[in-house]
Amino acid sequence: MKEPQNAQVVGVKVEARELVKVENLVKYFPVRAGLLQRVVAYVQAVDKVSFTVREGETLGLVGESGCGKTTVGRSMLRLVEPTSGQVTFDGQDVLKLSGASLKQMRRDMQIIFQDPYASLDPRMPIGESVMEGLNIHGIGTSQERFEMMIDTLKKVGLEDYHARRYPHEFSGGQRQRIGIARALALRPKFIVCDEPVSALDVSIQSQVLNILKDLQGEFGLTYLFIAHNLSVVEHISDRVAVMYLGKMVELTGRDELFANPLHPYTKALMSAIPIPDPTIKRERIILKGDVPSPLNPPKGCRFHPRCPVVKDICSQQEPVFKEVSSGHWAACWLYD
C-alpha cells in the first residue's frame, strides 16, 4: 500500500510524514494436537495487513472482537513475533532489530494495555512500576528518575502520594491512568492504545480520552488507537481503519468514514451506533450468521458469507485493498 508523498507547497496543507509503516503483516498462530504436539492447523489472526500512521496523528483501528486488532498492535511492537511482513518505524525495520537497537526502539514505541491491573505487579508500589522503564534504560540519576516519575503521575491526574500505593488501592480509572503514565514515562514517539477505555464507565472514559488528547498535544505523540466502540473512535481519531477476520477492509479519514462508508461491513457497524435523540431512527443492517473461524476462513472475500450485497465473484476471488477515491481505501468488489 503506497500513500501520496508529502509535498511542500505554499498555501497547501502539508501531510505529516509517515512515522510507522506496516506492509503485508502476517501473524499465524500454530494449533498443536496429539502426543507429539504436531502442528495440525494455523489460526490466521492477521493476514497481509498494510497501513501507515502519520506523525502526530491518531489512527483508529476498529472491528469485531477476534478480528486481529490487538494482534496487529502487539506484532508491531514485537510483543508477539510476526510470521512475516515488514514494520518500519522512523525509517528502521523493526523486525530486523536486535540487542541494543531493539532496546532503543522499545523506548520510542510503548503500549497501554486494555487491563492495567493485569499488567501491574501487585507487590510493587505504582511509583516503582512507573520508574521501571527509566531504570532499565538508565535514564538520569536515581533522584532525576524519581522526579520524572512524580511529574508523569501528575500529568495523568494523580498525586505524588499515590506513588507509595499498590495497584489494588486504586479504582479502574485510576489504574488506567497509571498504565498511561508507564507508557509516557520514557517520552516515546508512538503509543499503541489497546482498548484503553473499554472496561471503564462512560464518565471515566471521557476523562481518560481527554488525558490522551492533552498528552498528544503536549508531547506530539502518535497513537494507534484500538477499539470496538465507534463513538469513542470518532471522538479521538484522525483516520480510521476497519478490520474483519484478520483483513483490512477500509481505511480513510474519520469524517469521510462516518459520512460515506464504502464497505458493507463498515456500513453495518455504522448502523449499530446508538443515536442520543429518540426522535431519530436509523435503519439497522443486521448481519446474518456468525463470524467464520480464523482457522478456516472463507475463500474469496472473508465477509461474503454475511454480506447483504454479495456477488458471485466475492466467493471466488479476494478483493484487492485499493484506493477507491482520494485517501479512501477499501477492499470490495463493488468498487472494482
Side-chain angles (χ1 to χ4, degrees), residues 159-209:
E159 299 297 333
D160 50 4
Y161 60 81
H162 286 131
R164 299 186 295 274
R165 296 184 180 178
Y166 291 83
H168 71 272
E169 298 180 81
F170 294 92
S171 66
Q174 287 176 317
R175 282 198 287 262
Q176 196 56 275
R177 292 169 190 251
I178 296 166
I180 296 171
R182 291 184 73 193
L184 184 66
L186 291 168
R187 300 297 186 264
K189 298 177 183 177
F190 175 66
I191 298 179
V192 174
C193 305
D194 184 11
E195 302 200 35
V197 297
S198 62
L200 305 177
D201 293 337
V202 175
S203 60
I204 306 301
Q205 285 185 14
S206 62
Q207 294 176 20
V208 172
L209 290 174

Side-chain angles (χ1 to χ4, degrees), residues 28-34 37-44 293-295:
Y28 290 177
F29 292 97
V31 178
R32 301 180 184 275
Q37 290 293 288
R38 290 192 175 97
V39 176
V40 295
Y42 288 92
V43 176
Q44 300 179 27
S293 170
L295 272 171

Side-chain angles (χ1 to χ4, degrees), residues 311 313 317-320 322 324 330-336:
K311 300 163 66 175
I313 194 173
Q317 297 182 36
E318 182 180 329
V320 177
K322 65 180 183 179
V324 177
C332 184
W333 284 114
L334 292 175
Y335 308 101
D336 183 51

Side-chain angles (χ1 to χ4, degrees), residues 19 21-22 35 59 79 86-87 186 188 197 262-263 279 285 297 319:
L19 181 65
K21 188 174 184 179
V22 177
L35 184 64
L59 176 67
L79 296 180
Q86 186 176 35
V87 179
L186 291 168
V197 297
L262 296 180
H263 199 279
T279 64
I285 301 174

Side-chain angles (χ1 to χ4, degrees), residues 104-167:
Q104 176 61 37
M105 182 277 295
R106 295 195 185 282
R107 177 177 173 178
D108 292 329
M109 301 176 75
Q110 291 289 306
I111 185 170
I112 301 169
F113 292 101
Q114 180 178 1
D115 183 2
Y117 193 57
S119 63
L120 293 170
D121 188 337
R123 298 166 297 179
M124 183 183 290
I126 64 105
E128 292 185 24
S129 291
V130 173
M131 278 197 300
E132 196 170 17
L134 300 172
N135 294 332
I136 290 171
H137 288 273
I139 297 173
T141 64
S142 59
Q143 180 61 30
E144 288 172 339
R145 290 194 289 269
F146 178 81
E147 291 172 357
M148 290 176 68
M149 177 269 293
I150 295 297
D151 179 61
T152 303
L153 288 180
K154 290 183 176 180
K155 287 188 183 300
V156 298
L158 298 173
E159 299 297 333
D160 50 4
Y161 60 81
H162 286 131
R164 299 186 295 274
R165 296 184 180 178
Y166 291 83

Side-chain angles (χ1 to χ4, degrees), residues 29-103:
F29 292 97
V31 178
R32 301 180 184 275
L35 184 64
L36 299 179
Q37 290 293 288
R38 290 192 175 97
V39 176
V40 295
Y42 288 92
V43 176
Q44 300 179 27
V46 178
D47 194 8
K48 295 183 180 178
V49 166
S50 299
F51 60 91
T52 61
V53 189
R54 299 168 188 151
E55 188 172 30
E57 81 163 346
T58 299
L59 176 67
L61 185 59
V62 302
E64 291 173 290
S65 296
C67 72
K69 306 184 300 293
T70 294
T71 304
V72 166
R74 295 191 177 207
S75 297
M76 291 170 66
L77 303 184
R78 290 182 62 181
L79 296 180
V80 296
E81 288 292 337
T83 303
S84 64
Q86 186 176 35
V87 179
T88 306
F89 171 73
D90 209 9
Q92 289 185 298
D93 189 342
V94 173
L95 306 187
K96 292 182 179 179
L97 298 179
S98 61
S101 56
L102 178 60
K103 182 178 180 181

